[in-house]
Amino acid sequence: MINGSLLRDAVISAAITINNRKREVDELNVYPVPDGDTGTNMSMTIGNSIAELKRLDDRTSAADVASTAASAFLRGARGNSGVILSLIFRGFAKGLSGCTEAGCENFAEALQLGVDAAYKAVMKPAEGTILTVVKAAAAKAKETALSTNDDLIFWNEVCSEAEAVLAKTTEMLPQLKKAGVVDAGGMGLVIIFNAMKEIFEGGNIAVPNEAQSQNDSSADSFRT
């Protein structure tokens, strides 16, 4: 089971990791508009939760961590990718409601709730995007939760499936195929999920890239 402090650290580490790698994600951004800001928008969205999460102590429940993160994501959401990311984590808040600790079944339900919310929010959902990646991850989560209650096996399966489907997005959309890239939003989500998994496996919280941090105040303040 994953307790509140572990979930808190996982989200914080994911926020730092996507911020460190946002330029990499920005460079993949060719769909729906090649404006090169998907990584930046996702980073700003999840990054809005860091200060609030750091104020939560180790006794905080998984439910309260998820709720705190989801609310901060929603307030900080930027661009389509940021809004979708906030809805995915709103699913976490609903799925983990009332949980002191969260297990595989809880996260499987949370992911599916996030998928449902994200698809409903997009007027014309396109496959080959972050939506496709999170839908596949949720389906694998449901399948895996039926066969194991081991959190590490569960998250390894979820992340592996997300990565496998991300690789296929190049062939799903003409714009991605022409550019020879995977979907930027899907890549951002894979980075976030993998960073969370590393904390669940006992890893340390990511360290901010100093050069990236110095650029944030001047560049990101002008992005929407």
Side-chain angles (χ1 to χ4, degrees):
M1 300 288 279
I2 293 172
N3 61 25
S5 62
L6 199 58
L7 182 59
R8 174 200 63 200
D9 291 352
V11 178
I12 290 172
S13 192
I16 294 169
T17 302
I18 189 64
N19 188 58
N20 287 345
R21 298 180 62 182
K22 65 185 177 183
R23 303 303 181 204
E24 173 188 342
V25 177
D26 284 343
E27 290 172 1
L28 300 174
N29 186 195
V30 298
Y31 180 88
V33 179
D35 47 11
D37 62 0
T38 293
T40 297
N41 287 337
M42 294 182 81
S43 173
M44 292 176 72
T45 299
I46 188 172
N48 196 56
S49 69
I50 293 177
E52 291 182 50
L53 289 173
K54 283 184 174 181
R55 287 196 287 269
L56 301 179
D57 63 36
D58 289 346
R59 296 167 296 178
T60 305
S61 69
D64 286 343
V65 170
S67 178
T68 298
S71 295
F73 278 34
L74 183 60
R75 292 194 303 274
R78 297 290 187 275
N80 291 336
S81 57
V83 170
I84 290 172
L85 183 63
S86 73
L87 291 171
I88 291 169
F89 274 82
R90 184 204 241 165
F92 272 59
K94 291 183 177 179
L96 272 54
S97 178
C99 295
T100 300
E101 298 180 321
C104 302
E105 290 186 3
N106 303 119
F107 279 113
E109 180 184 3
L111 278 167
Q112 187 57 55
L113 288 169
V115 169
D116 293 343
Y119 267 87
K120 288 178 182 177
V122 178
M123 187 174 296
K124 294 182 179 180
E127 296 305 330
T129 66
I130 183 175
L131 295 174
T132 306
V133 175
V134 72
K135 180 172 69 174
K140 177 58 73 171
K142 182 178 180 180
E143 175 190 325
T144 306
L146 294 174
S147 61
T148 185
N149 59 3
D150 186 310
D151 297 310
L152 299 186
I153 292 175
F154 174 86
W155 278 100
N156 269 305
E157 289 293 317
V158 169
C159 289
S160 293
E161 181 69 6
E163 289 174 355
V165 173
L166 173 66
K168 297 176 182 177
T169 59
T170 304
E171 300 298 322
M172 294 182 185
L173 286 168
Q175 296 92 329
L176 301 181
K177 188 171 184 176
K178 182 178 180 180
V181 298
V182 297
D183 178 66
M187 180 63 168
L189 187 66
V190 165
I191 289 171
I192 287 168
F193 280 179
N194 274 321
M196 292 176 66
K197 183 192 71 166
E198 288 177 11
I199 296 299
F200 298 152
E201 291 175 335
N204 296 320
I205 293 176
V207 177
N209 180 306
E210 289 186 12
Q212 185 69 70
S213 298
Q214 289 172 0
N215 289 333
D216 285 346
S217 59
S218 58
D220 294 343
S221 60
F222 295 100
R223 293 183 181 269
T224 59

